[in-house]
Amino acid sequence: MALTVAVTSGSALARQDESASPSPLNQIYRVEFGSAPPIYGGAISFSFGDGLIDSYTETGIGGADQPGGTGSWYAEGGGRISILGDAADPGYEGEELPPRPALQLLADGQSEVNCEAWPHIDVGSSAQPSDLCWITNSNVLSVTRTQ
């Protein structure tokens, strides 16, 4: 009987198999962006709450309340997850509503993406953005799960 063990270092691979999480509920990801409008480089955290996606930074980016945009997610039958991005909001001058870009996890002009299953990434591990069904923005450089 042969036993095969594979060891990898560096980033964890996003797995879409039996170890996949059933949903992104209560998960937070730190997403690093390259320098392209409306994000000029830097990291934004995206939190997946009870059906909602919020974005934030430690210091803020350009005064935006939700610097990476907002959106929602919902689970469908069979483990399928849909991500819906909110449209950009220019904010209101002189009021307490700052501008907000469209959901920056998605490619420009895209408002929805579907995943057959939510990929599993361990807390503290990273994944290649191209391996994640919920990121279609080609300006994303790296993704790390922080919670």
Side-chain angles (χ1 to χ4, degrees):
M1 175 185 225
L3 176 65
T4 305
V5 177
V7 178
T8 60
S9 62
S11 297
L13 296 175
R15 300 184 302 270
Q16 292 184 338
D17 57 20
E18 69 280 348
S19 65
S21 301
S23 78
L25 181 62
N26 297 325
Q27 296 180 12
I28 299 175
Y29 295 88
R30 182 179 187 274
V31 178
E32 187 80 30
F33 289 87
S35 192
I39 308 297
Y40 292 95
I44 297 175
S45 292
F46 291 86
S47 65
F48 290 78
D50 191 15
L52 299 175
I53 303 168
D54 290 310
S55 64
Y56 61 92
T57 64
E58 297 301 319
T59 60
I61 293 179
D65 179 37
Q66 301 271 347
T70 59
S72 58
W73 67 271
Y74 62 93
E76 298 181 49
R80 189 175 169 99
I81 302 290
S82 291
I83 304 287
L84 304 168
D86 293 335
D89 184 342
Y92 299 96
E93 193 171 321
E95 295 184 24
E96 294 182 18
L97 297 172
R100 182 189 69 229
L103 185 63
Q104 295 301 294
L105 298 173
L106 306 179
D108 190 32
Q110 186 178 18
S111 63
E112 182 176 358
V113 68
N114 297 299
C115 296
E116 293 301 318
W118 190 256
H120 177 81
I121 302 172
D122 292 325
V123 174
S125 294
S126 298
Q128 291 295 322
S130 59
D131 291 341
L132 300 173
C133 55
W134 50 277
I135 294 183
T136 58
N137 183 341
S138 62
N139 196 39
V140 172
L141 303 176
S142 67
V143 178
T144 302
R145 182 172 172 196
T146 61
Q147 176 179 314

